[in-house]
């Protein structure tokens, strides 16, 4: 333990930022896990094997299994929380993969290390030794790639809060170092275990109940900074994600909080424009929040984010429907999401249900600005999501006056480097009800078709 702490301290003195490096944290945690749990697990396995075989056979089995499988298991006890926190998934194949890969690692590490040293003295000799290490390296890489392609080989999970990770480690180390003193406490607390299970079950049931369809439309504008990410829940419980913002992690956290606990899929993913800051966060979330269909508007090759998203959609075999003016998605109970107009940049969307109308002009460009300003059917909208984070040329005073929304919503990052929202846009919104994600956090609009209820993260 002292040696491990000393080695970590030396590395931190040399490079102070290494403490925040994910690979360093995982290496430190894996080494700690092997030190603390490899021997106890081996002893446990030996005692278990002795029940079915002789003592000598049990020890041989423990040496074979312990050297590979149990050491891996010991390392995973302390690394699993970090992997869940950073990568948002838990592998189901890692134990078997490590079992197959570990036998090759000692020879690989020795040959690779010796080849580096030999190459410093005589380069051709170092290359020759490197060629000897090459089959082992190829075997390791190909095996990892094979296991990474196993269907359902890992489970995507919701964002794990850092305090929960810290609580896990505290609980783990309390049991590890003070288990002898916990006997009396465990006996006293054992009757409380069924009650704890009942409490957790009750919380899960209530969470599922609150996530159930309530016969209303819910529109949540996520706080994604510059760009837009909007989640629509229909009266019948259909979930539609429109764009997603630039951050994979933030979008994962937002959807994890909003979607039902036992149904993480989306009915529709709507790509409303081709801007990088609106789409960059989606690709990494498609597998976890799998959409049944995609409605695509705008140029599919406009940015790197559109190319990445197209590739992710294709790899998951999700059907794509091209947005056309006049197209409407049926959301159930009479609610629909209409494509008012579509162009190379994206689409202008209109969410309608009874008397409620919310305009989402995410793909608005200068060519469509005049037609939108003169469109009588768009006037007196219930809610308006201001396009392009309040960029003045796309939010002229005459457009806002023509639409005359009951509520204007602005999705913009705090301290936006581009100076958004434009001062001219804010001036044009004087006298209107305005909510901003940079000031109010996420914004949820709930409606029964006649009235609106507004909830914000920060007042």
């Amino acid at each position: 333990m002292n040696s491990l702490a000393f080695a970590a301290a030396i590395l931190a003195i040399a490079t102070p930022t290494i403490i925040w490096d994910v690979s360093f944290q995982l290496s430190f945690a894996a080494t700690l896990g092997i030190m603390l749990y490899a021997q106890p697990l081996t002893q446990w396995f030996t005692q278990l094997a002795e029940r079915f075989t002789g003592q000598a056979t049990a020890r041989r089995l423990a040496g074979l299994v312990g050297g590979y499988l149990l050491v891996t298991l010991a390392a995973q006890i302390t690394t699993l929380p970090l992997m869940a926190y950073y990568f948002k998934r838990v592998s189901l194949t890692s134990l078997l993969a490590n079992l197959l890969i570990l036998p090759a690692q000692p020879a690989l590490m020795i040959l690779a290390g010796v080849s580096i040293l030999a190459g410093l003295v005589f380069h051709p000799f170092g290359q020759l030794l490197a060629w000897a290490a090459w089959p082992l390296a190829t075997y390791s890489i190909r095996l990892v790639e094979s296991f990474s392609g196993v269907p359902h080989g890992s489970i995507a999970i919701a964002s794990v809060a850092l305090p929960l990770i810290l609580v896990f480690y505290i609980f783990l180390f309390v049991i590890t170092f003070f288990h002898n003193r916990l006997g009396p406490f465990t006996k006293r607390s054992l009757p409380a275990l069924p009650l704890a299970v009942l409490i957790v079950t009750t919380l899960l049931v209530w969470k599922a109940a609150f996530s159930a369809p309530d016969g209303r439309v819910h529109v949540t504008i996520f706080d994604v900074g510059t760009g837009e990410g909007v989640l629509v829940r229909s009266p019948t419980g259909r979930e539609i994600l429109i764009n997603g913002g630039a951050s994979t992690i933030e979008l994962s956290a937002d959807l994890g909080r909003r979607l039902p606990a036992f149904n993480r899929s989306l009915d529709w993913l709507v790509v409303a424009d081709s801007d990088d800051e609106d789409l960059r966060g989606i690709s990494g979330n498609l597998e976890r929040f799998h959409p049944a269909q995609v409605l695509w508007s705008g140029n599919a090759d406009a940015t790197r984010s559109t190319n990445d998203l197209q590739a992710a959609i294709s790899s998951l075999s999700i059907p794509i429907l091209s947005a056309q003016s006049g197209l409407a998605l049926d959301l159930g109970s009479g609610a629909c999401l209409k494509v008012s107009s579509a162009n190379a940049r994206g689409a202008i969307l209109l969410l309608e249900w009874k008397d409620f109308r919310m305009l989402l002009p995410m793909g608005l460009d200068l060519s469509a600005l005049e037609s939108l300003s003169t469109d009588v059917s768009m006037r007196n909208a219930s809610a308006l999501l201001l396009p392009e984070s309040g960029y003045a040329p796309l939010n002229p005073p005459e457009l806002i006056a023509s639409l005359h929304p009951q509520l204007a919503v602005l999705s913009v990052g705090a301290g936006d480097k581009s100076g958004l929202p434009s001062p001219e846009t804010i001036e044009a919104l004087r006298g209107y009800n305005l909510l901003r994600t940079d000031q109010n956090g996420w914004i949820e609009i709930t409606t029964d078709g006649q009235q609106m209820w507004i909830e914000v993260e920060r007042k």
Side-chain angles (χ1 to χ4, degrees), residues 22 25-26 29 75-92 94 154-166 168-169 248-249 252-253 284-285 288:
V22 178
Q25 293 178 14
L26 288 171
Q76 291 204 336
I77 291 173
T78 46
T79 57
L80 189 61
L82 289 174
M83 289 189 286
Y85 176 74
Y86 286 114
F87 308 126
K88 308 294 185 297
R89 61 179 58 247
V90 174
S91 174
L92 302 179
S94 57
S154 64
I155 301 175
I157 61 175
S159 298
V160 182
L162 182 59
L164 190 60
I165 299 296
L166 296 176
F168 173 87
Y169 280 118
T248 301
I249 294 175
S252 175
N285 283 293
R288 180 180 170 213

Side-chain angles (χ1 to χ4, degrees), residues 147-407:
F147 275 96
S148 70
V150 173
H152 310 294
S154 64
I155 301 175
I157 61 175
S159 298
V160 182
L162 182 59
L164 190 60
I165 299 296
L166 296 176
V167 168
F168 173 87
Y169 280 118
I170 291 172
F171 182 72
L172 177 65
F173 294 140
V174 165
I175 293 176
T176 300
F177 296 111
F178 303 101
H179 62 277
N180 291 329
R181 303 179 187 179
L182 294 176
F185 173 77
T186 303
K187 291 180 180 179
R188 290 195 300 267
S189 61
L190 192 59
L193 184 60
L195 179 61
V197 172
L198 180 60
I199 291 173
V200 171
T201 304
T202 302
L203 291 174
L204 289 174
V205 170
W206 274 108
K207 179 176 174 58
F210 281 123
S211 302
D214 59 1
R216 295 177 175 178
V217 168
H218 297 261
V219 182
T220 304
I221 297 90
F222 295 139
D223 181 12
V224 297
T226 301
E228 296 106 1
V230 179
L231 181 67
V232 177
R233 176 177 294 167
S234 77
T236 57
R238 297 178 186 175
E239 306 283 356
I240 302 92
L241 176 65
I242 307 173
N243 289 357
S247 172
T248 301
I249 294 175
E250 290 182 7
L251 180 61
S252 175
D254 289 331
L255 292 175
R257 283 191 292 265
R258 296 286 173 175
L259 292 179
F262 304 107
N263 182 14
R264 314 301 266 177
S265 60
L266 296 164
D267 292 276
W268 283 94
L269 168 64
V270 178
V271 177
D273 65 69
S274 55
D275 289 352
D276 190 64
E277 63 268 18
D278 291 325
L279 305 181
R280 197 185 311 138
I282 301 177
S283 300
N285 283 293
L286 283 186
E287 184 178 359
R288 180 180 170 213
F289 304 105
H290 194 285
Q293 299 180 81
V294 174
L295 177 64
W296 190 287
S297 57
N299 186 355
D301 298 316
T303 63
R304 180 177 178 179
S305 292
T306 57
N307 292 329
D308 291 344
L309 185 53
Q310 283 277 345
I313 292 171
S314 176
S315 67
L316 294 172
S317 302
I318 305 172
I320 300 180
L321 178 65
S322 297
Q324 304 290 336
S325 299
L327 179 69
L329 302 182
D330 182 10
L331 305 185
S333 297
C336 66
L337 182 67
K338 294 181 178 179
V339 179
S340 177
S341 67
N343 53 62
R345 183 172 181 269
I348 299 173
L349 305 174
L350 181 64
L351 177 63
E352 286 188 317
W353 189 45
K354 300 178 183 178
D355 296 334
F356 175 81
R357 293 182 306 136
M358 182 171 184
L359 186 61
L360 304 162
M362 298 172 174
L364 180 66
D365 60 7
L366 294 175
S367 62
L369 189 59
E370 183 177 354
S371 60
L372 181 61
S373 300
T374 57
D375 190 343
V376 179
S377 64
M378 295 293 182
R379 293 178 181 175
N380 299 315
S382 305
L384 166 66
L385 179 63
L386 296 162
E388 205 65 22
S389 297
Y391 178 56
L394 291 178
N395 293 274
E398 54 270 21
L399 173 65
I400 295 172
S402 173
L403 297 175
H404 195 66
Q406 297 178 42
L407 173 67

Side-chain angles (χ1 to χ4, degrees), residues 104-138:
Q105 300 316 298
L108 173 59
M109 294 175 69
I110 291 172
L111 284 171
V114 172
S115 69
I116 292 172
L117 295 176
L120 295 174
V121 178
F122 184 59
H123 190 262
F125 184 51
Q127 282 187 315
L128 182 63
L129 291 175
W131 277 109
W134 175 79
L136 298 173
T138 302

